[in-house]
Amino acid sequence: MAVFLGTVRCAPSMARLAPYGRRFRIASNPGVSLCRRGSSPFRLLHSRASLDSSAEDARGIGHQGESDSELIFMGTGTSEGIPRVSCLTNPSEKCPVCLKAAEPGSKNRRLNTGILIRYPGPTGKCNILIDAGKFFYHSALRWFPAYGIRTIDAVVLTHSHADAIGGLDDLRDWTNSVQPHIPIYVANRDFEVMKKTHYYLVDTSSIVPGAAVSELQFNIIQEEPFVVNDLQITPLPVWHGQGYRSLGFRFGKVCYISDVSEIPEETYPLLRDCDILIMDALRPDRSSSTHFGLPRALEEVRKIQPKRTLFTGMMHLMDHEVVNEDLKKLLETEGIDVQLSYDGLRIPITL
């Protein structure tokens, strides 16, 4: 379910929530499409066309896909990003990954983890972001013009850490210049955090008249399937440190889990028959208290058994070329198709 704060927009089995007090203006603009598709809100997309030859698959090889839906990795790094300033300014010890990341075009250069789902609507592509972290502006500056992306039809949030929500303020460029508003889908526990961290976006009544801020529509989601622009999205509840709940999301046969230290048993059934798994893998040697490391992430891949896996959320100990060379061996020894993702990677998907 999703509850729209300010007014309540009904979806199947929706519970009502009292309006929070946010002042919203729902504009009708024929030049802005929110990609409403078909009569059934649970109808998934089924289309077959070719992606252009600039798209790449998980191995970095030119790929001609069969679907005209795709994922774009807006960022694949940690909260602080790669390269680290502290590494580049260290006079006594050189960090090889950060030095590589400082070079133009390096796949070790990583901004905050997030993806963009693109799929066809009646008037053009729909663009749904998962997370808009504190480096979102820099990711959008690089990839939106490069891939012909202009509108943002919705943002779905995994949790309320800065690397997931820190870029919401930058959405003002879209709501001031491109479209009247952007729907935000967020769990209630994270919305409670945002009432403090982004109070001026939640309740615009405190804003000085004439000041420009992001025009956001907040929709509360539960840990059950909800629909965004006719795309059904299923939350994948996980733990991101002891006692801290985060959400992954499933759409079609793609499962995305960006911030995880433990997968609850009740979530595993939601991961069955997964074609593409995108999952957290912070470091090459071990897990931390809040993130899977590569060994644990590989254990989960063996348990979930997706057709293909792409790791994300890598820190500066993960050298893209070195780690991927090792991971390629698993395809020969175990039949496991797994690689590291990288910023700007595009992969075709079928929804």
Side-chain angles (χ1 to χ4, degrees):
M1 75 173 65
V3 181
F4 169 56
L5 300 184
T7 61
V8 180
R9 293 191 305 197
C10 292
S13 70
M14 175 174 293
R16 286 191 164 270
L17 188 70
Y20 176 67
R22 161 93 176 170
R23 280 32 172 203
F24 291 116
R25 179 174 61 87
I26 308 303
S28 177
N29 186 339
V32 177
S33 170
L34 293 184
C35 301
R36 308 310 304 174
R37 304 180 59 256
S39 58
S40 171
F42 287 98
R43 181 171 63 85
L44 296 185
L45 307 174
H46 296 281
S47 55
R48 304 177 68 85
S50 294
L51 286 176
D52 62 25
S53 59
S54 66
E56 295 183 74
D57 70 3
R59 300 169 191 81
I61 303 170
H63 183 84
Q64 289 291 337
E66 293 184 340
S67 171
D68 54 0
S69 299
E70 64 180 343
L71 287 184
I72 298 174
F73 287 75
M74 298 297 295
T76 59
T78 56
S79 181
E80 60 215 337
I82 311 296
R84 292 182 177 183
V85 176
S86 60
C87 289
L88 297 181
T89 58
N90 190 337
S92 60
E93 184 177 355
K94 301 301 180 183
C95 171
V97 174
C98 286
L99 288 174
K100 288 182 181 180
E103 298 173 358
S106 173
K107 291 179 181 177
N108 284 306
R109 187 176 186 86
R110 305 175 185 128
L111 299 181
N112 294 159
T113 300
I115 60 172
L116 185 140
I117 311 166
R118 300 195 81 191
Y119 58 96
T123 59
K125 290 284 190 178
C126 287
N127 302 303
I128 297 178
L129 279 171
I130 296 185
D131 288 341
K134 57 187 181 179
F135 298 145
F136 169 71
Y137 165 78
H138 301 281
S139 296
L141 184 64
R142 185 172 184 185
W143 304 120
F144 273 48
Y147 293 147
I149 304 164
R150 179 162 172 81
T151 60
I152 299 174
D153 296 291
V155 180
V156 182
L157 299 176
T158 59
H159 64 306
S160 52
H161 286 168
D163 57 350
I165 68 171
L168 293 179
D169 185 76
D170 293 319
L171 298 180
R172 70 173 71 184
D173 189 23
W174 279 262
T175 61
N176 290 343
S177 308
V178 179
Q179 58 195 89
H181 53 266
I182 298 176
I184 308 295
Y185 292 81
V186 58
N188 189 60
R189 58 181 170 272
D190 298 310
F191 183 66
E192 291 299 317
V193 172
M194 292 169 63
K195 287 178 184 178
K196 301 175 182 177
T197 61
H198 291 72
Y199 64 92
Y200 61 99
L201 299 181
V202 172
D203 183 358
T204 59
S205 63
S206 62
I207 300 299
V208 175
V213 299
S214 307
E215 286 290 335
L216 308 179
Q217 299 174 344
F218 292 94
N219 301 269
I220 300 301
I221 60 174
Q222 310 296 331
E223 292 182 356
E224 59 185 65
F226 60 100
V227 176
V228 180
N229 292 345
D230 293 351
L231 178 65
Q232 181 171 317
I233 300 176
T234 300
L236 303 171
V238 296
W239 296 111
H240 181 28
Q242 186 175 5
Y244 188 90
R245 198 78 152 179
S246 184
L247 294 177
F249 296 103
R250 176 169 184 153
F251 37 97
K253 290 194 173 184
V254 180
C255 295
Y256 177 78
I257 304 176
S258 61
D259 295 80
V260 56
S261 59
E262 192 73 33
I263 300 177
E265 284 301 319
E266 61 268 23
T267 298
Y268 283 107
L270 302 175
L271 298 170
R272 290 174 184 158
D273 301 318
C274 175
D275 284 350
I276 299 174
L277 173 65
I278 302 163
M279 192 164 63
D280 194 11
L282 177 68
R283 51 187 299 149
D285 50 353
R286 61 176 176 82
S287 297
S288 72
S289 61
T290 53
H291 292 273
F292 284 164
L294 185 57
R296 174 63 185 279
L298 286 171
E299 290 178 12
E300 296 295 336
V301 170
R302 295 181 180 103
K303 182 173 182 178
I304 298 168
Q305 297 184 331
K307 291 182 179 179
R308 172 185 291 178
T309 300
L310 291 163
F311 291 133
T312 193
M314 291 80 67
M315 67 181 301
H316 71 152
L317 298 179
M318 297 278 269
D319 187 303
H320 183 88
E321 289 76 16
V322 172
V323 174
N324 268 355
E325 281 300 314
D326 288 338
L327 291 175
K328 283 180 182 179
K329 301 172 184 177
L330 295 176
L331 187 59
E332 300 175 0
T333 60
E334 300 184 45
I336 297 176
D337 186 351
V338 58
Q339 290 276 269
L340 302 186
S341 60
Y342 56 87
D343 291 23
L345 172 64
R346 302 169 74 184
I347 58 172
I349 58 173
T350 300
L351 296 175

